[in-house]
Amino acid sequence: MHSLGVNVYRFSISWVRILPKGRFGEVNPSEIMFYNNIIDHLLLRGVEPFVTIFHFDLPQELEDRYGSWLSPLIHLTSVHTL
């Protein structure tokens, strides 16, 4: 990207990779390290990371408990998780 003159890179962080069980589990440290490495390498090459949360995935635990995105409970849960 740097050699092409790209100075900004947009990528998404997967909620499921960071918090596999949503608010009912622990943070996955290896995935935090994965995303930190991406950000560090971009910055070292003068490329600004533009990070978004991948909002289409849902931890399976939350799917099982609340029945996916159509449940009014999932909206309350997802806001409190972040």
Side-chain angles (χ1 to χ4, degrees), residues 54-67:
F54 184 70
H55 59 280
F56 294 112
D57 58 359
L58 182 69
Q60 187 63 48
E61 181 73 26
L62 300 181
E63 171 83 26
D64 294 343
R65 286 178 186 246
Y66 302 115

